[in-house]
Amino acid sequence: MSISKKDRDILRELGMQIAEISALPVQQETIKLWKSLNGLNPVRPMVIIDQVPWHEMDVEGELTLKTEDSFCRSIETALRRRLYSWKHMRADMVVEPYVDVPKVIRGADLGIKPLENTAVTDPNNTVVGHQYIDQLKTEEDLEKIKIPQVSLDEDATAEIEEKAHDIFDGILEVRMQGIIPNFAVWDRIVEWHGVESSLIDLIERPDFIHKILSKVSEAYHSMLDQLEEKGLLGYGQGTVHCSGAYTDELPAPGFNPRRPRAKDLWTYGMAQIFSTVSPAMHQEFELDYAVKWYERFGLVYYGCCEPLHNKIDIIRKIPNLRKISMSPWADQELAAEKIGFDFVFSRKPNPAFLAGDSWDPEIVEKDLRKTMEICVRNGCPVEFILKDISTVRYQPQRLWEWADVAMKVVQG
């Protein structure tokens, strides 16, 4: 089905704005700064804002969609958000002269979906509470976990590729993107087995947990094998888990953009449910399985919201590790002493500062400067990744000011 002239004109205009911004010298300057940080030789700390409550952010119609075709609307959403971020909360984002269009890939799942009850406080917000229903009560239930059967829907992919070229040729490069997978298996397991059941079974049914992990790990590796063999991995990452991914170390020698390999890519992983699990259990029920995944990739970002300050000794043994997440609940002093010069201290400032009844930029600045002081004293390369922003209380200017404060702190 062809694109209407109206939709095409709207997207081409947005694409021209992206192209103009991408040509600014600051883009290459910022990429160079990210490469320095990711090479553990930082010029200064870097800043990114991601996972924004977009339903609260519109100002004067900047995010209002004007196209009608569903494919066009998905592209328009991404372009308008890039332009909005560049205008209002730029930080160290990079705007490049391309538009990524995902290939239509079927079967890249494990055949089991969450059953849950949800709690909603704002019907416009995609962030909701989850109560997961246990579907893995017995060993027989493990048969619900299937080995993926990955395939490319060639006709559907060709159709959207033709549409994208019709819209953007002469303005932006169209990159047909595959999947860039991660190893957040515990995020999936708790969706199927429940949070409480999973934690209790670590103690009461450890053999059962190992069987779940073995089955899930087998499925993940099979999926990765198929994505590699069929040329369905993505490439050219600008970010990894909300962090800047630019590096001179990737892709690996022999890279072919038509058939990317795991070793050409960053990957990431986490075990957020393990926030209060001991280092020994974290090793046995997470890292002993995850290490086989990380061995296959070029570089690794590890962690998310779980505090990892007392687990650096085991985490630093992850193959190809480059960045370690430092959540708002981490003891920064302990972590920085252990990390030193060896990895990027990927600090996640607390998004709760943006969610309160009142907004105080001075509290944000004080918090960021505390992290800076700790990292300077311990020689840690550091980045600030503001994410998981569930609300700014419908005051988008809070986020704009956060970006200004953060850049003032890191630029000295």
Side-chain angles (χ1 to χ4, degrees):
M1 187 174 179
S2 62
I3 299 296
S4 71
K5 183 180 184 303
K6 174 190 171 185
D7 284 3
R8 185 174 183 271
D9 289 347
I10 290 169
L11 293 183
R12 285 181 68 83
E13 170 58 31
L14 294 173
M16 285 188 282
Q17 293 179 47
I18 294 289
E20 182 179 351
I21 294 169
S22 71
L24 297 174
V26 69
Q27 308 301 343
Q28 294 306 311
E29 294 167 7
T30 306
I31 289 173
K32 186 176 180 181
L33 290 172
W34 277 113
K35 287 182 174 181
S36 296
L37 175 71
N38 293 335
L40 304 178
N41 187 28
V43 175
R44 63 164 174 82
M46 303 295 283
V47 181
I48 275 188
I49 298 171
D50 204 349
Q51 298 180 337
V52 172
W54 288 108
H55 65 289
E56 297 186 9
M57 302 303 293
D58 201 6
V59 176
E60 298 181 353
E62 291 179 69
L63 296 170
T64 301
L65 300 183
K66 299 179 181 179
T67 56
E68 297 177 0
D69 175 79
S70 59
F71 170 75
C72 292
R73 289 174 73 84
S74 67
I75 298 294
E76 183 185 4
T77 297
L79 294 179
R80 289 194 182 279
R81 289 178 179 180
R82 285 168 75 183
L83 291 168
Y84 182 102
S85 296
W86 179 259
K87 178 179 179 180
H88 295 296
M89 45 192 191
R90 185 180 309 177
D92 285 313
M93 72 176 292
V94 175
V95 177
E96 294 196 83
Y98 58 74
V99 56
D100 279 336
V101 178
K103 297 176 181 178
V104 182
I105 298 171
R106 312 291 187 189
D109 62 77
L110 277 62
I112 178 172
K113 300 185 183 301
L115 297 177
E116 61 179 324
N117 299 312
T118 59
V120 178
T121 55
D122 181 346
N124 296 315
N125 197 339
T126 57
V127 178
V128 299
H130 303 268
Q131 180 190 42
Y132 295 111
I133 298 169
D134 187 1
Q135 302 178 70
L136 302 177
K137 295 181 179 181
T138 67
E139 291 190 19
E140 289 73 21
D141 287 336
L142 301 188
E143 296 303 314
K144 298 175 183 177
I145 301 171
K146 306 297 183 183
I147 300 298
Q149 300 298 319
V150 179
S151 64
L152 175 68
D153 188 327
E154 295 183 3
D155 291 342
T157 299
E159 180 181 351
I160 61 174
E161 183 174 10
E162 182 180 359
K163 286 183 177 181
H165 280 289
D166 177 57
I167 296 165
F168 293 110
D169 278 358
I171 299 175
L172 295 174
E173 176 188 356
V174 173
R175 302 198 314 180
M176 298 304 295
Q177 278 286 12
I179 295 172
I180 299 178
N182 61 70
F183 199 75
V185 298
W186 275 104
D187 280 6
R188 304 288 77 76
I189 290 170
V190 298
E191 290 179 346
W192 309 327
H193 190 37
V195 174
E196 184 175 337
S197 298
S198 297
L199 290 172
I200 290 173
D201 280 351
L202 288 173
I203 300 170
E204 296 188 353
R205 293 201 294 172
D207 290 343
F208 181 59
I209 292 294
H210 279 300
K211 288 178 180 178
I212 295 175
L213 287 165
S214 295
K215 186 73 177 288
V216 173
S217 296
E218 178 189 4
Y220 266 64
H221 281 279
S222 175
M223 178 177 66
L224 181 55
D225 290 341
Q226 295 174 60
L227 291 170
E228 278 194 317
E229 291 165 4
K230 298 180 180 184
L232 297 178
L233 287 173
Y235 69 97
Q237 296 151 284
T239 59
V240 54
H241 198 37
C242 309
S243 168
Y246 297 98
T247 174
D248 289 324
E249 298 172 54
L250 299 176
F255 168 69
N256 178 354
R258 295 183 179 179
R259 299 191 70 83
R261 306 153 299 182
K263 66 181 179 180
D264 296 317
L265 305 173
W266 286 84
T267 191
Y268 68 90
M270 65 197 78
Q272 297 184 91
I273 192 178
F274 282 16
S275 294
T276 56
V277 165
S278 71
M281 293 184 77
H282 197 116
Q283 181 72 52
E284 178 181 355
F285 294 101
E286 157 67 358
L287 296 181
D288 284 350
Y289 291 89
V291 67
K292 299 176 180 65
W293 179 269
Y294 299 137
E295 287 172 345
R296 301 181 64 173
F297 284 82
L299 291 169
V300 174
Y301 183 115
Y302 189 78
C304 192
C305 292
E306 68 275 36
L308 296 173
H309 54 270
N310 65 336
K311 299 176 181 177
I312 302 301
D313 288 343
I314 59 173
I315 290 168
R316 65 166 39 249
K317 298 175 184 178
I318 291 173
N320 306 312
L321 179 65
R322 186 55 53 87
K323 300 190 180 192
I324 303 176
S325 175
M326 286 292 114
S327 80
W329 302 278
D331 185 319
Q332 296 185 88
E333 287 281 5
L334 290 178
E337 290 174 7
K338 293 285 188 177
I339 289 173
F341 296 90
D342 297 335
F343 308 101
V344 176
F345 188 105
S346 186
R347 177 60 172 171
K348 310 291 179 54
N350 198 332
F353 293 144
L354 294 150
D357 292 335
S358 61
W359 159 244
D360 187 348
E362 291 184 4
I363 293 177
V364 169
E365 181 171 352
K366 181 178 179 181
D367 179 66
L368 296 176
R369 291 194 183 282
K370 177 182 177 181
T371 298
M372 285 272 288
E373 189 275 327
I374 290 170
C375 288
V376 168
R377 180 157 27 87
N378 289 279
C380 300
V382 60
E383 63 186 12
F384 294 101
I385 312 298
L386 181 65
K387 61 188 290 288
D388 300 311
I389 311 162
S390 60
T391 182
V392 292
R393 304 296 286 271
Y394 286 87
Q395 297 176 36
Q397 293 80 5
R398 292 185 179 191
L399 203 48
W400 308 352
E401 288 186 47
W402 191 99
D404 290 341
V405 169
M407 294 308 292
K408 181 180 75 171
V409 169
V410 301
Q411 290 174 340

